[in-house]
Amino acid sequence: DGAVLELVDGGVVAGRLVAAAGPDLHLEAAGTGVLAVDTRLLVGWRLVGAEAGSGVSVPVRALAGGDGEGAQDGLF
């Protein structure tokens, strides 16, 4: 549904891990849907635990097709 653009001081990215692909973590975040988080953004940031329902308070870019339009029917 979206992708985290950047991390910010005091920002929160919390959710339930639903998938991992390469450097990306896919989190089901409360009120936001599934977000892709590029783990390369985490370099230099201190990580602390948060409850999964804490939500997201960092810049997020909505991804097209979240309504199912253009969804892939199969692998090929």
Side-chain angles (χ1 to χ4, degrees):
D1 298 312
V4 171
L5 291 174
E6 65 179 328
L7 300 180
V8 296
D9 237 359
V12 174
V13 179
R16 185 177 66 85
L17 182 66
V18 294
D24 295 333
L25 300 178
H26 300 264
L27 301 176
E28 184 176 34
T32 311
V34 176
L35 293 179
V37 180
D38 186 338
T39 57
R40 295 172 291 194
L41 294 173
L42 304 177
V43 174
W45 288 94
R46 188 175 77 108
L47 303 178
V48 296
E51 294 295 321
S54 297
V56 177
S57 64
V58 297
V60 172
R61 174 176 51 97
L63 299 177
D67 59 1
E69 183 179 323
Q72 182 174 333
D73 290 332
L75 186 55
F76 298 104

